[in-house]
Amino acid sequence: MNDRVREILSWYASENPGVRTNLARMLNHGRLGGTGKMVILPVDQGFEHGPARSFAPNPAGYDPRYHFQLAIEAGCNAYAAPLGFLEAGVSDYCGDIPLILKCNNHDLLNDERDPISAVTSGVSDALRLGCVAVGFTIYPGSAERTEMYQQLRELAEEAKAVGLAVVVWSYPRGSSLSKEGETAVDVVAYAAQIAAQLGADIIKTKLPGAKVELAEAQKVYQKYEIPISTLAERVHHVVQSSFDGRRIVIFSGGAAAEDEKFFEEVRAIRDGGGFGSIVGRNSFQRKKPDALKFLDTIMGIYEGSIQ
Amino acid sequence: MNDRVREILSWYASENPGVRTNLARMLNHGRLGGTGKMVILPVDQGFEHGPARSFAPNPAGYDPRYHFQLAIEAGCNAYAAPLGFLEAGVSDYCGDIPLILKCNNHDLLNDERDPISAVTSGVSDALRLGCVAVGFTIYPGSAERTEMYQQLRELAEEAKAVGLAVVVWSYPRGSSLSKEGETAVDVVAYAAQIAAQLGADIIKTKLPGAKVELAEAQKVYQKYEIPISTLAERVHHVVQSSFDGRRIVIFSGGAAAEDEKFFEEVRAIRDGGGFGSIVGRNSFQRKKPDALKFLDTIMGIYEGSIQ
Amino acid sequence: MNDRVREILSWYASENPGVRTNLARMLNHGRLGGTGKMVILPVDQGFEHGPARSFAPNPAGYDPRYHFQLAIEAGCNAYAAPLGFLEAGVSDYCGDIPLILKCNNHDLLNDERDPISAVTSGVSDALRLGCVAVGFTIYPGSAERTEMYQQLRELAEEAKAVGLAVVVWSYPRGSSLSKEGETAVDVVAYAAQIAAQLGADIIKTKLPGAKVELAEAQKVYQKYEIPISTLAERVHHVVQSSFDGRRIVIFSGGAAAEDEKFFEEVRAIRDGGGFGSIVGRNSFQRKKPDALKFLDTIMGIYEGSIQ
Amino acid sequence: MNDRVREILSWYASENPGVRTNLARMLNHGRLGGTGKMVILPVDQGFEHGPARSFAPNPAGYDPRYHFQLAIEAGCNAYAAPLGFLEAGVSDYCGDIPLILKCNNHDLLNDERDPISAVTSGVSDALRLGCVAVGFTIYPGSAERTEMYQQLRELAEEAKAVGLAVVVWSYPRGSSLSKEGETAVDVVAYAAQIAAQLGADIIKTKLPGAKVELAEAQKVYQKYEIPISTLAERVHHVVQSSFDGRRIVIFSGGAAAEDEKFFEEVRAIRDGGGFGSIVGRNSFQRKKPDALKFLDTIMGIYEGSIQ
Amino acid sequence: MNDRVREILSWYASENPGVRTNLARMLNHGRLGGTGKMVILPVDQGFEHGPARSFAPNPAGYDPRYHFQLAIEAGCNAYAAPLGFLEAGVSDYCGDIPLILKCNNHDLLNDERDPISAVTSGVSDALRLGCVAVGFTIYPGSAERTEMYQQLRELAEEAKAVGLAVVVWSYPRGSSLSKEGETAVDVVAYAAQIAAQLGADIIKTKLPGAKVELAEAQKVYQKYEIPISTLAERVHHVVQSSFDGRRIVIFSGGAAAEDEKFFEEVRAIRDGGGFGSIVGRNSFQRKKPDALKFLDTIMGIYEGSIQ
């Protein structure tokens, strides 16, 4: 491994060599291999939003094999999906790309104010399917979060013991938060801290907005003049809140926006010290050539070949 | 096995040979053996609707042995029933027909708006009774669905580990859906996707109606002009939503209707790329000769000998 | 074993020889041994109704040994009681009579509209006390029935694996039923069907009344003119609903009534094809000589020596 | 062992020799050893009522060693306390007095109408601390009683398997009972019966009052003219309700009253056939010399040396 | 070990040598080693209050390594933190300071009136990270306390069996208490008693205020004239309530106040017989040199070198 990867792995010195090996597999894979940056393709929208909303824009995506191909051809660091999508595609691509098994999922046929995902797969599935990591979503702010944290703790304990890395989607949601508060900078930073304290090896969270949600937090942001006016500053704050940058934090962009705006966000992640992006709908909902071009630009920005 | 069965099994390459063997047993059994089409006889109505409502129309059906005989004589691919019905009949028919143990059940003495079935049997029962698969019902749309998904996940993990296939009845129900929404095409497609993502080997769902239930989904159906005006098109959409046709999806017809209408539906399933039918009340609630004739026509349509 | 017992056991061909042996022990024991009929003494009223209401009418019954003596002297097929009553009496009567350990119980200090019994003992207790079977009560119609069915499923799986037979008290109760509906013929038949589907070897239920509770069921009873006007016809319907008579179904009489009326009910059970009676309060709440005479008449009716 | 102890142990013939040995240890220990009577010192008030309310009247009681000394010097049959109190004192007194580990506890910082105690220790603790028995409180009448009965069933099964006796505090409480009903004679008798049916080796309950709480029970008490006018008669009725006296039943006195009144109650317990007293606050809340004198009188009454 | 440590360990004679060894490691470590006093650095505020509120005042604290360094340089007896913070820092400091793994945590994104923390790590984590103890928070007064007590009981049983000491944060909170009541002297003393009865080796609680919350307790404080007018007296009462001083009890100071006021509190803890302080925000939220000076004064007071 090169020095940057060696440095990143040094932050995980308390993990066993199995976990660090699987982190290295992701960090060393694909076009960004060895840069310390990551772009991951996640495709759980079939479960989370329904099939038509996910795949009608690019019907090739109904086929579970498509996303393996896209992630491999684009040179992503890893591909993440729920049990069924991995089961139905993995055999043709064994060893071609690091896989993350998304172990809990939520559907929108019920849309509770305080959501909790169903645990839909686990460590034994990840092992039999050749994955490098398990993924798990928590919703800090949900009245159900105690249960979710405990489910994560059980999964993580079991996963790490067999050398699987633990990737946590930490997405603030729930009745205690305003809608805008779900992406408030203090809330996103808090959600990243919680994931890190729960033992996450890699943290995925939303891009933080300029709002500060919690009154007690607001006093602190003002008193200490924490810089949060630009997106890069807010990214920096979230990374700092993830053990002063000693945990890999990557960001999701949300629904499809104008490409140039998306690239601006990627630059902010890069400038703020973020470790990369998780790009789902923005990539698999366009035709493959377009998606490859889109991902190529993102990776170029992270790599430094594109400004 | 012939080429069609070989092709279908290729979609299940991540399953162990035990599971694939049991899928092959169903695909190769009975009159439709080798065609890639399936007609399954399910008899759980005694539990789900009560004995008189189920068997009074044809009292021979009170006897658990009757349904084995019917399924065998009709040349069905498999027979599915709850624990008691299998226990009370299987010894006379060991090995005569592939069996699916229906592992959860719901009765109508209480009829909640957000139902959840009781887990009434499991993998050890399926093994001691010589079954090829376990069956499990989920109700996407029910407030209890998180619990059901997790029960299914536990059952499926245990079943697949010992080579049993997993058949999921995915029937949308619950307070979040309108009555008509339970068979809305977007909802049924979503329910099929969820079952597939949960690891179902075979998915059973309802025939989709023309309604689109969810506002966010409606936008997509309109924008992308997804064809859903004919039943065959809607069947096609559900099959596409089940991993682009790479999972076996079969359809239930519901309460007894006019025979010719039923055959029309079978033709639509066939034309839409569906894999077959699950025919319960429409077969066992008529005298056996009539039932055999009725099933003969259905199989003929799937086989291609009847148009 | 004689031909009738051999015939009955043939219905249980999927049970292991251990379970069939214990069924045979009950069928072959006592005055009705070999007839295929059963009279069982159950004494759980101390828990269910309280000690004074149960035993003040015949204070000898406060002593747990009394009921063993009564069941043995009367020639009952089996004696059923909760853990404490068996523990406190069994040592003096090891092997003298088949024992059924009643594994769940409910008290009336709280009387919920949707009751669930507490699980108060289990398979290891049944084995160490020399029992032939475990007993378990379910209340179809209770909002808690899903939990009860699942508790029964766990108990039954464990019991059958070690050769214990499973006796299910299936007593409709709960907020979804009218008071009279708890003994409505459709409801009782449904409750018997549920118990059979859950794997019960022996089903105990209440004598069915003439009412039909459920609207959907009522249509069927009328359309198919199911005969339910006499008690014998209703018994026949419940037996038919228990796998066409291929499961042992016995009936409880409820609170003490006039003796002659009770005997009339026994004749109806006999004429309707029922397998016998469970006689609790009507026997142990009178002095032993009276109780023996009373039970003698009942057995005589089943045996055919009394009309 | 002497004849009386042998007689008492004969009631427990279904328990294994380990359990009977530990019952004998209590019956043979202390000043009442061999009489078949028991006086037990329980000190769980620190948890149940708080430290100051428990120990301020006699501050020596803050020290966990004090209660061992008191029980030993007074010649009690056993000492019962929660985990912490036993852990913090036992090492100085190993083998000096039979110990009962009180395995669940309830505090008054919350005082629910339907209480349930927390399970705070278990069989492995009892074994490592050298106890002869586990103790467990149930609150018949509480809406939570099903959970408590099931917790007791699990504890008792585990305890008896390793030879520990099971002591049940059966104290009626809960929203279904009036305040006076918590000590109503029918309710206390019912609570004793429930404990016995759940497998209790020793039952502790409250002294029964003259009230009859339940309407259905009242009819029986009147019809059969059950004598309950004197305390001795009511004690007799509770003992009778505990398997006709074939289970050890002891009584608690409650809050400190005038001594002579307390002795009157002891005489009533003795005359009604009760097996002894559990004396907590009335003994440890006075100076040790006074407490020893107080307990000396109580034991004298049971022994027969004092009238 | 010296005589004072030997004396303290004698109170834990029922713990196995593994637990006593780990208690000795804490008592013998750092500047206060051997004095019987302890100052512990806890850093769980990142989870409990959020990252900015915790670390913005001294941004060095975002880095998990900082707190190890601070605790080591200050000569604390131990450092306590949640899973993530220990995982991310421990490898550089193996064996340099005794570690306590804080096994449950609560965040303020939801702030319930009846809080319960999530179980976020456990014994296997503590062992693999080289800890000497597990830490666990209970909230006596919360409607959820039964669940918390049971979680603690399971953790403690498992921890002690492998030689880990058990440190309990017993912080009264919940809807049954007034705001001021959370630090009322009777409530804090009760909370300490509960922790001790649950088997805590070390108890951490809040400094008790002058209020008495519970009416029944108030009667006792007045009747027995329990001295609670000075903080030292109240500390003494809490220590007495912790098994008459035979359990280690240390106190937390809460939010940053004027230093001199804090030192006054430390003197009161010392004078009241408390065993030390847990100093979180007051130390890590100032620059390291200041923090070291602050902690130096505190330790000087406990040591006796500063008055």
Side-chain angles (χ1 to χ4, degrees):
Chain A
M1 70 189 96
N2 70 18
D3 285 355
R4 178 58 180 156
V5 172
R6 192 179 308 276
E7 181 188 16
I8 292 174
L9 289 187
S10 77
W11 308 335
Y12 298 89
S14 71
E15 300 289 19
N16 63 34
V19 171
R20 278 178 280 150
T21 296
N22 277 323
L23 286 173
R25 283 181 178 131
M26 285 185 275
L27 288 165
N28 286 328
H29 189 84
R31 175 159 163 204
L32 293 175
T35 64
K37 300 292 181 187
M38 301 177 91
V39 170
I40 293 176
L41 176 69
V43 189
D44 56 359
Q45 282 80 359
F47 201 121
E48 306 278 330
H49 297 168
R53 281 182 63 191
S54 302
F55 306 125
N58 177 28
Y62 283 111
D63 188 331
R65 293 173 299 178
Y66 174 78
H67 307 286
F68 284 88
Q69 294 159 358
L70 175 60
I72 292 165
E73 291 182 33
C76 289
N77 295 71
Y79 168 53
L83 180 68
F85 246 31
L86 289 193
E87 279 186 331
V90 64
S91 287
D92 289 349
Y93 308 98
C94 291
D96 289 349
I97 185 165
L99 298 174
I100 302 167
L101 178 61
K102 189 73 179 3
C103 292
N104 64 346
N105 289 98
H106 180 261
D107 68 81
L108 285 184
L109 290 175
N110 307 70
D111 194 14
E112 313 89 342
R113 288 207 61 201
D114 286 294
I116 181 170
S117 296
V119 178
T120 55
S121 59
V123 166
S124 67
D125 299 305
L127 290 173
R128 72 177 166 88
L129 296 172
C131 300
V132 300
V134 291
F136 196 87
T137 298
I138 56 174
Y139 297 125
S142 169
E144 303 285 340
R145 96 284 201 200
T146 299
E147 176 69 9
M148 285 182 272
Y149 296 170
Q150 295 185 166
Q151 290 171 340
L152 171 54
R153 171 250 189 290
E154 285 176 30
L155 179 72
E157 183 178 27
E158 195 185 344
K160 291 181 176 183
V162 296
L164 292 169
V166 175
V167 184
V168 176
W169 277 244
S170 191
Y171 286 176
R173 284 185 60 186
S175 59
S176 72
L177 299 173
S178 69
K179 188 65 203 168
E180 210 187 342
E182 293 182 357
T183 52
V185 63
D186 60 324
V187 169
V188 172
Y190 201 161
Q193 165 80 203
I194 287 170
Q197 293 286 15
L198 289 169
D201 293 311
I202 298 178
I203 300 160
K204 298 185 187 172
T205 192
K206 296 180 186 170
L207 275 173
K211 182 179 182 183
V212 175
E213 169 87 353
L214 303 164
E216 288 298 310
Q218 179 66 303
K219 293 179 201 165
V220 172
Y221 282 88
Q222 287 174 344
K223 177 173 178 187
Y224 295 100
E225 297 177 351
I226 302 173
I228 51 172
S229 56
T230 71
L231 181 56
E233 285 171 338
R234 295 192 295 269
V235 164
H236 172 78
H237 180 62
V238 172
V239 170
Q240 187 184 40
S241 295
S242 302
F243 296 175
D244 213 18
R246 295 174 69 83
R247 283 293 174 266
I248 298 168
V249 188
I250 62 180
F251 295 86
S252 61
E258 229 178 305
D259 283 6
E260 191 44 44
K261 185 164 177 309
F262 195 96
F263 299 145
E264 276 309 306
E265 291 179 355
V266 170
R267 288 185 194 99
I269 296 168
R270 180 198 60 194
D271 296 344
F275 292 75
S277 291
I278 180 159
V279 188
R281 282 170 286 171
N282 273 306
S283 58
F284 71 73
Q285 288 186 344
R286 49 181 98 197
K287 299 294 167 202
K288 209 207 274 179
D290 284 355
L292 292 174
K293 183 144 173 281
F294 179 73
L295 289 166
D296 183 70
T297 303
I298 293 168
M299 294 184 192
I301 294 170
Y302 280 123
E303 197 185 47
S305 61
I306 298 174
Q307 286 312 310
Chain B
M1 70 187 97
N2 70 18
D3 285 354
R4 179 56 181 158
V5 172
R6 193 180 307 276
E7 181 188 16
I8 292 174
L9 289 187
S10 76
W11 308 335
Y12 298 88
S14 70
E15 299 289 18
N16 64 33
V19 172
R20 278 179 280 151
T21 297
N22 277 323
L23 286 173
R25 284 181 177 132
M26 286 185 274
L27 287 164
N28 286 327
H29 189 85
R31 177 161 160 203
L32 293 175
T35 65
K37 300 292 181 186
M38 301 178 91
V39 170
I40 293 176
L41 175 70
V43 190
D44 56 359
Q45 282 81 358
F47 201 122
E48 307 278 328
H49 296 167
R53 282 182 62 191
S54 301
F55 307 124
N58 176 29
Y62 282 111
D63 188 331
R65 295 173 298 179
Y66 174 78
H67 308 285
F68 284 86
Q69 294 158 358
L70 174 61
I72 292 165
E73 291 181 34
C76 290
N77 296 70
Y79 168 53
L83 180 68
F85 247 30
L86 289 193
E87 280 186 330
V90 64
S91 288
D92 289 347
Y93 308 98
C94 291
D96 288 350
I97 186 165
L99 298 174
I100 301 167
L101 178 61
K102 190 72 182 1
C103 291
N104 64 347
N105 289 99
H106 179 260
D107 68 81
L108 285 184
L109 289 175
N110 307 69
D111 195 14
E112 312 89 342
R113 288 207 60 201
D114 286 294
I116 180 170
S117 296
V119 178
T120 56
S121 59
V123 166
S124 67
D125 298 306
L127 290 173
R128 72 177 166 88
L129 296 173
C131 300
V132 301
V134 292
F136 197 88
T137 298
I138 56 175
Y139 297 126
S142 169
E144 303 285 340
R145 97 285 202 197
T146 299
E147 176 70 9
M148 285 182 271
Y149 297 170
Q150 296 185 165
Q151 290 171 340
L152 170 55
R153 171 250 189 290
E154 285 176 30
L155 179 72
E157 183 178 27
E158 194 185 345
K160 291 182 175 182
V162 297
L164 292 169
V166 175
V167 184
V168 176
W169 276 244
S170 190
Y171 286 176
R173 286 185 59 187
S175 60
S176 73
L177 300 173
S178 69
K179 189 65 203 167
E180 210 187 342
E182 294 182 356
T183 52
V185 63
D186 60 325
V187 169
V188 172
Y190 201 161
Q193 165 80 203
I194 287 170
Q197 293 286 14
L198 289 169
D201 294 311
I202 299 177
I203 300 161
K204 298 185 186 173
T205 192
K206 296 180 187 170
L207 275 173
K211 184 181 181 180
V212 174
E213 170 88 353
L214 303 164
E216 288 299 309
Q218 179 66 303
K219 293 179 200 164
V220 172
Y221 283 87
Q222 288 174 343
K223 177 173 178 188
Y224 295 99
E225 297 176 351
I226 302 174
I228 51 172
S229 55
T230 70
L231 180 56
E233 285 171 339
R234 295 192 295 269
V235 165
H236 171 78
H237 180 62
V238 172
V239 170
Q240 186 184 40
S241 294
S242 303
F243 297 175
D244 213 18
R246 296 174 69 83
R247 284 294 174 265
I248 299 168
V249 189
I250 62 181
F251 295 86
S252 61
E258 229 178 307
D259 283 7
E260 191 44 45
K261 186 166 177 306
F262 195 95
F263 299 145
E264 276 310 305
E265 291 178 356
V266 170
R267 287 185 194 99
I269 296 168
R270 180 197 60 195
D271 296 344
F275 293 76
S277 290
I278 180 159
V279 188
R281 281 170 286 172
N282 273 306
S283 58
F284 71 74
Q285 287 186 343
R286 49 182 100 198
K287 299 294 168 203
K288 209 206 275 178
D290 284 356
L292 292 175
K293 184 146 170 281
F294 180 73
L295 289 166
D296 183 71
T297 303
I298 293 168
M299 294 184 194
I301 294 170
Y302 279 124
E303 198 185 46
S305 62
I306 298 175
Q307 285 313 309
Chain C
M1 70 188 97
N2 69 19
D3 285 353
R4 178 57 181 157
V5 172
R6 192 179 307 277
E7 182 187 15
I8 292 174
L9 290 187
S10 77
W11 308 334
Y12 297 89
S14 71
E15 300 289 18
N16 63 33
V19 172
R20 278 179 279 151
T21 297
N22 277 323
L23 285 172
R25 284 180 177 132
M26 286 185 274
L27 287 164
N28 286 328
H29 188 85
R31 177 161 160 200
L32 293 176
T35 65
K37 300 292 181 185
M38 302 178 91
V39 170
I40 293 176
L41 175 70
V43 190
D44 56 359
Q45 282 82 359
F47 200 121
E48 307 277 329
H49 297 167
R53 281 181 63 191
S54 302
F55 307 124
N58 175 29
Y62 282 111
D63 188 331
R65 294 172 299 179
Y66 174 78
H67 308 285
F68 284 87
Q69 294 158 359
L70 174 61
I72 292 165
E73 292 182 33
C76 289
N77 296 70
Y79 168 53
L83 181 67
F85 247 30
L86 289 194
E87 280 186 331
V90 64
S91 288
D92 290 348
Y93 308 99
C94 290
D96 289 350
I97 186 166
L99 298 174
I100 302 166
L101 177 61
K102 190 71 180 4
C103 292
N104 64 346
N105 289 99
H106 179 260
D107 69 81
L108 285 184
L109 290 175
N110 308 69
D111 194 14
E112 312 89 342
R113 288 207 61 202
D114 286 294
I116 180 170
S117 296
V119 179
T120 56
S121 59
V123 166
S124 68
D125 298 306
L127 290 173
R128 72 177 167 88
L129 296 173
C131 300
V132 300
V134 291
F136 197 88
T137 298
I138 56 174
Y139 297 125
S142 169
E144 302 285 340
R145 97 285 201 198
T146 299
E147 176 69 9
M148 285 182 271
Y149 297 170
Q150 295 184 165
Q151 290 171 340
L152 171 55
R153 171 250 188 290
E154 285 176 30
L155 178 72
E157 183 178 27
E158 195 185 343
K160 290 181 176 183
V162 297
L164 292 169
V166 175
V167 184
V168 176
W169 276 244
S170 191
Y171 286 176
R173 285 184 59 187
S175 60
S176 73
L177 299 173
S178 69
K179 188 65 203 167
E180 210 188 342
E182 294 182 357
T183 52
V185 63
D186 60 325
V187 170
V188 172
Y190 201 160
Q193 165 79 203
I194 287 170
Q197 294 286 15
L198 289 168
D201 294 311
I202 298 178
I203 300 161
K204 298 183 187 174
T205 192
K206 296 180 187 170
L207 275 174
K211 182 179 181 182
V212 174
E213 170 87 353
L214 302 164
E216 288 299 308
Q218 179 65 304
K219 293 180 201 164
V220 171
Y221 283 87
Q222 288 174 343
K223 177 173 178 188
Y224 295 100
E225 297 177 351
I226 302 174
I228 52 172
S229 55
T230 70
L231 180 56
E233 285 171 341
R234 295 193 294 269
V235 164
H236 172 77
H237 181 61
V238 173
V239 170
Q240 186 184 42
S241 294
S242 303
F243 296 175
D244 212 19
R246 296 174 68 84
R247 284 293 174 266
I248 299 168
V249 188
I250 62 181
F251 295 86
S252 61
E258 229 179 307
D259 283 7
E260 192 44 45
K261 185 166 177 306
F262 194 96
F263 299 145
E264 276 309 306
E265 291 178 356
V266 170
R267 288 185 193 99
I269 295 168
R270 180 198 62 195
D271 296 344
F275 293 75
S277 290
I278 180 159
V279 188
R281 282 171 285 172
N282 272 305
S283 59
F284 71 75
Q285 288 186 343
R286 51 181 98 197
K287 299 295 167 202
K288 210 206 273 178
D290 284 356
L292 293 175
K293 184 147 171 279
F294 180 73
L295 289 165
D296 182 71
T297 303
I298 293 169
M299 294 185 194
I301 294 170
Y302 279 125
E303 198 184 47
S305 60
I306 299 174
Q307 285 314 307
Chain D
M1 70 188 97
N2 69 19
D3 285 356
R4 177 58 180 155
V5 172
R6 192 180 306 277
E7 181 188 15
I8 292 174
L9 290 187
S10 76
W11 307 335
Y12 296 90
S14 70
E15 300 289 20
N16 63 33
V19 172
R20 278 179 280 151
T21 297
N22 277 323
L23 286 172
R25 283 182 177 130
M26 285 185 275
L27 287 164
N28 286 327
H29 188 85
R31 176 160 162 202
L32 293 175
T35 65
K37 299 292 182 186
M38 302 179 91
V39 170
I40 293 177
L41 175 70
V43 190
D44 56 359
Q45 282 81 0
F47 201 122
E48 306 277 328
H49 297 167
R53 281 181 63 191
S54 302
F55 306 125
N58 176 30
Y62 283 111
D63 188 331
R65 293 172 299 179
Y66 175 78
H67 308 284
F68 284 88
Q69 294 159 359
L70 175 60
I72 292 165
E73 292 182 33
C76 289
N77 296 69
Y79 167 54
L83 181 67
F85 247 30
L86 289 194
E87 280 186 332
V90 64
S91 288
D92 289 349
Y93 309 97
C94 290
D96 289 350
I97 185 166
L99 298 174
I100 301 167
L101 178 61
K102 190 69 179 7
C103 292
N104 64 347
N105 289 99
H106 179 261
D107 69 81
L108 285 184
L109 290 175
N110 308 69
D111 194 14
E112 312 89 343
R113 287 206 62 200
D114 286 295
I116 181 170
S117 297
V119 178
T120 57
S121 59
V123 166
S124 67
D125 297 305
L127 290 173
R128 72 177 166 88
L129 296 172
C131 300
V132 301
V134 291
F136 196 88
T137 299
I138 57 174
Y139 296 126
S142 168
E144 303 285 339
R145 96 283 201 200
T146 299
E147 177 69 8
M148 285 182 270
Y149 297 170
Q150 295 185 166
Q151 290 171 340
L152 170 55
R153 172 252 188 290
E154 285 177 30
L155 179 71
E157 183 178 27
E158 195 185 345
K160 291 181 174 183
V162 297
L164 292 168
V166 175
V167 184
V168 176
W169 276 245
S170 190
Y171 286 177
R173 284 185 60 187
S175 59
S176 73
L177 299 173
S178 69
K179 188 67 203 166
E180 211 188 341
E182 293 182 357
T183 53
V185 63
D186 60 324
V187 170
V188 172
Y190 200 161
Q193 165 81 204
I194 287 171
Q197 294 286 15
L198 289 168
D201 294 311
I202 299 177
I203 300 161
K204 298 184 187 174
T205 192
K206 297 179 186 171
L207 275 173
K211 183 180 181 182
V212 175
E213 170 87 352
L214 303 164
E216 288 298 309
Q218 180 65 304
K219 292 180 201 165
V220 171
Y221 283 87
Q222 288 174 343
K223 177 173 179 188
Y224 295 100
E225 297 178 350
I226 303 174
I228 52 172
S229 55
T230 71
L231 181 55
E233 285 170 341
R234 294 193 294 269
V235 164
H236 172 78
H237 180 62
V238 173
V239 170
Q240 185 184 42
S241 294
S242 302
F243 295 175
D244 213 19
R246 296 174 67 85
R247 284 293 174 266
I248 298 168
V249 188
I250 62 181
F251 294 87
S252 61
E258 229 179 306
D259 283 7
E260 192 44 45
K261 185 164 178 309
F262 195 96
F263 299 145
E264 275 309 306
E265 291 178 355
V266 171
R267 288 185 193 99
I269 296 169
R270 179 198 62 195
D271 295 345
F275 293 76
S277 290
I278 180 159
V279 188
R281 281 171 285 172
N282 272 306
S283 57
F284 71 73
Q285 287 186 344
R286 51 182 98 197
K287 299 295 166 202
K288 210 206 275 178
D290 284 356
L292 292 175
K293 184 146 171 279
F294 180 74
L295 289 166
D296 183 70
T297 303
I298 293 168
M299 293 185 194
I301 294 170
Y302 279 125
E303 197 185 48
S305 62
I306 298 174
Q307 285 313 309
Chain E
M1 69 188 98
N2 70 18
D3 285 354
R4 178 57 181 157
V5 172
R6 193 179 307 276
E7 182 188 16
I8 292 174
L9 290 188
S10 77
W11 308 335
Y12 297 89
S14 70
E15 299 290 19
N16 63 33
V19 171
R20 277 178 281 149
T21 296
N22 277 322
L23 286 172
R25 283 181 178 132
M26 285 185 274
L27 288 164
N28 286 328
H29 188 85
R31 177 160 161 201
L32 293 175
T35 64
K37 300 292 181 186
M38 301 178 92
V39 170
I40 293 176
L41 176 70
V43 190
D44 56 359
Q45 282 80 0
F47 201 122
E48 306 277 330
H49 297 168
R53 281 182 63 191
S54 302
F55 306 125
N58 176 28
Y62 283 112
D63 188 331
R65 294 173 299 179
Y66 174 79
H67 307 286
F68 284 87
Q69 294 158 359
L70 175 61
I72 292 165
E73 292 182 33
C76 290
N77 295 70
Y79 168 54
L83 180 68
F85 246 30
L86 289 194
E87 280 186 331
V90 64
S91 287
D92 289 348
Y93 307 98
C94 291
D96 289 349
I97 186 165
L99 298 174
I100 301 166
L101 178 60
K102 190 70 179 6
C103 292
N104 64 346
N105 289 98
H106 179 260
D107 69 81
L108 286 184
L109 290 175
N110 308 69
D111 194 14
E112 312 89 343
R113 289 207 60 201
D114 285 295
I116 182 169
S117 297
V119 178
T120 56
S121 60
V123 166
S124 67
D125 298 306
L127 290 173
R128 72 176 166 89
L129 296 172
C131 300
V132 301
V134 291
F136 196 87
T137 298
I138 56 174
Y139 296 125
S142 168
E144 302 286 339
R145 96 284 201 199
T146 299
E147 176 69 9
M148 285 182 272
Y149 297 170
Q150 295 186 165
Q151 289 171 341
L152 171 55
R153 171 251 188 289
E154 284 176 31
L155 180 71
E157 183 178 28
E158 196 185 342
K160 291 181 176 184
V162 297
L164 293 168
V166 175
V167 184
V168 176
W169 276 245
S170 190
Y171 286 177
R173 285 184 60 186
S175 60
S176 74
L177 299 173
S178 69
K179 189 65 203 167
E180 211 187 342
E182 293 182 357
T183 53
V185 62
D186 60 324
V187 170
V188 172
Y190 200 161
Q193 165 81 203
I194 287 170
Q197 293 286 15
L198 289 169
D201 293 311
I202 299 178
I203 300 160
K204 299 185 185 172
T205 192
K206 296 179 187 172
L207 275 174
K211 183 180 182 181
V212 175
E213 169 88 353
L214 303 164
E216 288 299 307
Q218 179 65 303
K219 294 179 199 164
V220 171
Y221 282 87
Q222 287 174 343
K223 178 173 178 188
Y224 296 99
E225 297 177 350
I226 302 175
I228 53 171
S229 56
T230 71
L231 181 55
E233 286 170 340
R234 295 192 294 269
V235 164
H236 172 77
H237 180 62
V238 172
V239 171
Q240 186 184 41
S241 294
S242 302
F243 296 176
D244 213 19
R246 295 173 69 83
R247 283 293 174 266
I248 298 169
V249 188
I250 62 181
F251 294 87
S252 61
E258 228 179 307
D259 283 7
E260 192 44 45
K261 186 166 177 307
F262 194 96
F263 299 145
E264 276 309 306
E265 291 178 355
V266 169
R267 287 186 194 99
I269 296 168
R270 179 197 62 195
D271 296 345
F275 293 76
S277 291
I278 180 158
V279 188
R281 282 171 284 171
N282 272 306
S283 58
F284 70 73
Q285 287 186 344
R286 49 182 99 196
K287 300 295 166 201
K288 211 207 273 178
D290 284 356
L292 292 174
K293 183 146 171 278
F294 180 74
L295 289 166
D296 182 70
T297 303
I298 293 168
M299 293 185 194
I301 294 170
Y302 280 124
E303 196 186 48
S305 61
I306 298 174
Q307 286 311 308

